[in-house]
Amino acid sequence: MTTLVMTEEETMLADSARGFLDENAPVKQLRNLRDAGKTFDKALWQEMAKMGWAGILVPEDQGGSDMGHAAAGILAREMGKTLVASPFLSSAVIAATALRQVSDSRAQEALSAIASGEVTYALAVDEGPKFSPEKTEMSATRDGNSFRLNGEKTFVVDGALADRLLVLAKTDAGLTLFDLPADRKGITRNQKGMIDSRDAARITFDNVEATGEDVLGNVDQAMKVLQPALEAGQAALAAEMSGVAAGAFGMTVGYLKERKQFGVLIGQFQALQHRAADLWCHTEVTASAVAHAGRMLDEDPENASLAVSLAKARATDTAKRAVIEGVQMHGGIGMTDDFDMGFYMKRARVAAEWLGDYGYHAEKIAKIRGL
């Protein structure tokens, strides 16, 4: 039976993460990065790697801590509380999980590079306005013993600065996943500033050569490698969104305890108390769903799809509720750039679309349940 209670080791991980992030990556750092025209702090990522976060899903033989998906979710949730901008989800979660599906020496070397913080990855899957890997149209045409990749990928989170790209393309009899250096000839990256001030790119592939060594897994069988990686990313993203909701909720409650109207703290107004209590209930239920998804990925990954989609759908809804209530209960100041609540709203909006929106996961849940 899956337990939703954190172990002593996980509690220590959460506490240490919170202490580190409060000191080194508060929300004001995101503001400073944005104002400086940057999307993430490379020095901070190196510190995270030294703490073992980049290798949270990497086997110990490759230099990782291999603590599992539940632990990765704990880190993601803590990062969400202060809106940390880092390649954690793209590299330490998605890429590491994909690479773990392959047993060759090249994949093992790549895992070591991720764990050390030496190499970062981005996932190039999306092509249209919505997440839909199975509808990939980008072509990988055989050319002797190689392939030629042609097409375009959109909404590649962390794609402008990543060292390597996991690229999904259509081959003769299915889909194939390629692991390519981001500077390979024919790859053009156009950085697209997202509303939450994080890195993303639109990437064009013009007759890009890929050899058999660049194939991750087997030709025409991408989903055997990619599906576990997507579910790991969706679960960790749900955890981050639950952290976004918790961070927004904490900021809102703090404001209710400080702001006065007519000489009375607005936190004493019953209507606002009821709204805050309702939001707290949503955040707690979502936190449980997120914890369950992480446990399922660790204990029964073959049957984790329902738990993962439920966590992503709930986290999307809860984060949206938290930021809307936060803006409204802060009054006019909640809509100004001088106040940090807007950063939470923007992060929640971007995260809602990445790796499948609410509708995508609600439909998936319905199919799994036979509805």
Side-chain angles (χ1 to χ4, degrees):
M1 179 179 294
T2 301
T3 175
L4 301 184
V5 179
M6 286 200 299
T7 65
E8 182 178 352
E9 188 177 35
E10 289 172 342
T11 300
M12 292 176 61
L13 177 64
D15 290 343
S16 65
R18 185 74 273 126
F20 174 81
L21 295 172
D22 283 343
E23 180 178 353
N24 296 282
V27 181
K28 68 179 180 181
Q29 184 183 17
L30 178 63
R31 181 184 294 276
N32 293 338
L33 288 171
R34 183 202 64 177
D35 293 347
K38 299 179 179 180
T39 52
F40 85 97
D41 185 345
K42 293 183 179 180
L44 177 65
W45 178 240
Q46 289 301 315
E47 288 299 315
M48 291 180 180
K50 290 178 182 178
M51 295 177 68
W53 295 5
I56 194 75
L57 296 177
V58 174
E60 294 181 6
D61 289 345
Q62 279 76 56
S65 56
D66 201 13
M67 291 185 67
H69 295 280
I74 289 170
L75 290 180
R77 177 176 165 83
E78 295 305 320
M79 291 182 198
K81 290 178 182 177
T82 53
L83 306 178
V84 178
S86 81
F88 177 76
L89 292 180
S90 297
S91 296
V93 177
I94 297 173
T97 302
L99 289 162
R100 288 194 66 159
Q101 310 308 308
V102 182
S103 59
D104 60 38
S105 59
R106 183 178 63 87
Q108 293 175 358
E109 290 174 3
L111 283 166
S112 296
I114 289 175
S116 68
E118 177 184 349
V119 171
T120 59
Y121 273 81
L123 178 65
V125 171
D126 291 344
E127 295 180 2
K130 292 294 181 179
F131 176 75
S132 185
E134 65 279 2
K135 295 181 180 179
T136 293
E137 291 296 332
M138 182 174 155
S139 65
T141 307
R142 285 192 178 274
D143 182 14
N145 293 325
S146 301
F147 295 87
R148 293 289 175 174
L149 276 62
N150 287 280
E152 186 176 77
K153 296 293 185 179
T154 63
F155 193 25
V156 182
V157 177
D158 299 320
L161 299 176
D163 300 302
R164 300 190 68 86
L165 303 171
L166 294 181
V167 185
L168 185 64
K170 181 186 291 185
T171 42
D172 292 337
L175 299 174
T176 300
L177 189 63
F178 296 88
D179 180 353
L180 303 175
D183 60 355
R184 179 160 291 181
K185 183 180 179 181
I187 295 178
T188 302
R189 295 188 286 179
N190 296 306
Q191 186 169 16
K192 298 293 182 181
M194 296 195 293
I195 60 170
D196 68 343
S197 305
R198 292 182 64 195
D199 172 31
R202 180 184 294 271
I203 305 180
T204 302
F205 297 79
D206 183 9
N207 210 32
V208 176
E209 182 179 11
T211 68
E213 292 185 355
D214 296 319
V215 175
L216 195 59
N218 296 318
V219 175
D220 297 327
Q221 298 180 27
M223 297 314 291
K224 289 185 177 181
V225 173
L226 185 57
Q227 189 60 38
L230 290 176
E231 291 187 353
Q234 289 159 349
L237 181 56
E240 180 183 278
M241 295 178 76
S242 75
V244 170
F249 176 74
M251 182 177 291
T252 300
V253 170
Y255 185 74
L256 296 181
K257 293 179 178 178
E258 296 174 356
R259 179 77 167 98
K260 288 185 176 182
Q261 280 189 345
F262 310 111
V264 179
L265 289 171
I266 62 174
Q268 295 180 16
F269 298 161
Q270 193 174 63
L272 296 183
Q273 290 176 353
H274 286 173
R275 289 169 65 178
D278 179 69
L279 181 56
W280 180 85
C281 291
H282 280 282
T283 60
E284 289 299 299
V285 172
T286 295
S288 294
V290 166
H292 179 60
R295 291 279 189 266
M296 286 294 292
L297 286 171
D298 287 330
E299 299 170 8
D300 190 9
E302 297 297 323
N303 296 299
S305 295
L306 177 59
V308 169
S309 283
L310 181 60
K312 179 59 165 67
R314 279 211 60 93
T316 297
D317 180 68
T318 300
K320 179 180 179 181
R321 287 172 181 265
V323 296
I324 289 176
E325 287 284 50
V327 168
Q328 290 184 354
M329 286 195 269
H330 276 87
I333 192 175
M335 290 301 297
T336 66
D337 185 67
D338 291 336
F339 200 70
D340 289 338
M341 184 57 69
F343 285 98
Y344 284 93
M345 175 172 279
K346 293 170 184 176
R347 177 66 63 85
R349 189 67 192 91
V350 171
E353 294 296 325
W354 192 24
L355 301 179
D357 61 11
Y358 184 92
Y360 174 90
H361 288 284
E363 182 178 357
K364 191 172 181 180
I365 290 168
K367 288 182 178 178
I368 293 172
R369 288 179 169 172
L371 301 177

